[in-house]
Amino acid sequence: MLRACMMALALGAGGMVLAQDGASGSTAATAPPSAPSPAPAPAAPAGVARPNAADPELERRLIAVTKELRCLVCQNESIADSHADLAVDMRNEIREQLKGGMSERQVLDFMVARYGNFVRFRPPLDWTTLALWFGPALLMLAGLGVLLSQLRQRRRLAAQRVIPELSDAERAALAALATRGPAGPIDRPAAAGPESSGQARRNDG
Amino acid sequence: MSRAWLPLAGFVVLAGFLGIGLTLNPREVPSPLIGKPAPAFTLPTLADPQKQFSVDEAKGEVWLLNVWASWCTPCLEEHPLIEALSKKGIPIYGLNYKDKDPAALAWLRRYGDPYRLSVVDPTGRVGIDYGVYGTPETYLIDRQGVIRFKHVGPLNPQVVERTLLPLIEKLRAS
């Protein structure tokens, strides 16, 4: 149970990292296909693509908003990443809205009013999203609780372990071992283990 | 109860959740527009681009708005059901979504035109207002112009018989 929970968390974290990677590489994809591409600036550092847009600040805001929005056609991609027709339409719509003076907040509200909270990758906290927001942490805590109680129980059992009373014969054998080494009155089987048999050989020689 | 049963109990709970998850359709996203007025639009009609149609003109009737396109294969799948609904006397308006007029007109000529009329939304702008994300989509709108029901994807006989028709009946009676 705990392992499954940890694995799910690890997978979730991995997925988020992947999504982040995808989003950071999408600058070129969010540029409008019809936008005239500016002449490459000689000052641009090698290996860094210039944003293919007339207004880089607008594109930066566009990417910031569209990364928060889920593409409903390919549901685990953001509007910023997706090449679906709907995502292209939405990027164009949002670009116009931002250009028209709407804030990021207003754009998000606009999309939520039409597509519901599902379009947001980070839905607002209300009673329908409680399990979503706190479920993973609760599972983690439950797992840690199980682990701790198991460890505590194990330690208690170890502390309670009673050393049995030795019989007279055993006491004598123990004393013999302490003074003379393993070749005592107790017959050790030959296959007691490589270490002890090695010990015995050295004693013989 | 013995503690040995705990892992089994955990497994049963997990399997239960996953089992329920398998029966759900992740593509069906609840629309926030249910119970809200149908977003207003005024668009040219497909048959005559000079004429315009706006949502208000359908007020006073219980009607269906069906989002379709000639490039949309599932639209063809639901087409017989749309025609059957139309024959039952239910007014159906088409929203021709991101299509080319000649292709759309040819599609209607070839497969039949069950729509009272179709309006054209070549850019998909009105589609965004209606929260369209997968054609075909069908909206049930009441006399006051409020969206009462939305179905994403091709209609099927079950949805029509169990949900759509009873709801239309109820809305017409009220």
Side-chain angles (χ1 to χ4, degrees), chain B residues 128-148:
Chain B
I128 289 181
D129 272 347
Y130 275 79
V132 171
Y133 63 92
T135 47
E137 292 193 9
T138 306
Y139 298 78
L140 175 60
I141 298 164
D142 71 9
R143 291 184 207 278
Q144 284 76 42
V146 174
I147 297 178
R148 291 297 179 179

Side-chain angles (χ1 to χ4, degrees), chain A:
Chain A
M1 185 86 164
L2 175 69
R3 196 183 303 166
C5 167
M6 299 279 265
M7 217 187 282
L9 281 173
L11 280 174
M16 266 189 292
V17 170
L18 281 178
Q20 292 269 312
D21 286 348
S24 60
S26 65
T27 317
T30 46
S34 57
S37 50
V48 177
R50 279 173 51 85
N52 183 17
D55 184 351
E57 169 61 16
L58 179 69
E59 292 307 300
R60 193 196 57 73
R61 287 177 68 204
L62 177 69
I63 290 167
V65 178
T66 49
K67 261 159 99 171
E68 291 288 321
L69 290 167
R70 183 195 306 276
C71 172
L72 281 117
V73 179
C74 28
Q75 297 186 345
N76 287 334
E77 268 192 300
S78 71
I79 297 291
D81 296 337
S82 179
H83 290 277
D85 276 358
L86 182 66
V88 175
D89 289 349
M90 283 187 169
R91 285 200 295 265
N92 289 335
E93 174 72 24
I94 294 169
R95 184 183 288 109
E96 291 307 312
Q97 289 176 348
L98 289 174
K99 223 187 267 180
M102 271 169 81
S103 71
E104 278 86 342
R105 177 81 241 169
Q106 283 170 320
V107 170
L108 285 180
D109 288 345
F110 174 91
M111 285 298 166
V112 167
R114 282 153 184 79
Y115 290 93
N117 277 329
F118 188 69
V119 285
R120 294 191 60 181
F121 277 119
R122 292 186 291 176
L125 183 59
D126 61 31
W127 67 271
T128 56
T129 56
L130 276 181
L132 186 67
W133 277 103
F134 299 113
L138 282 179
L139 276 177
M140 181 84 184
L141 283 179
L144 280 177
V146 169
L147 182 69
L148 279 179
S149 79
Q150 288 286 325
L151 286 176
R152 201 169 294 166
Q153 191 181 13
R154 203 173 283 191
R155 199 183 304 160
R156 200 173 60 233
L157 284 178
Q160 282 172 355
R161 187 168 293 156
V162 184
I163 297 163
E165 278 296 309
L166 296 178
S167 65
D168 286 345
E170 282 167 333
R171 255 179 237 283
L174 193 62
L177 267 178
T179 51
R180 280 181 294 160
I186 293 179
D187 285 334
R188 292 181 146 256
E195 216 173 304
S196 56
S197 62
Q199 183 77 29
R201 240 194 332 258
R202 228 174 295 146
N203 277 2
D204 289 344

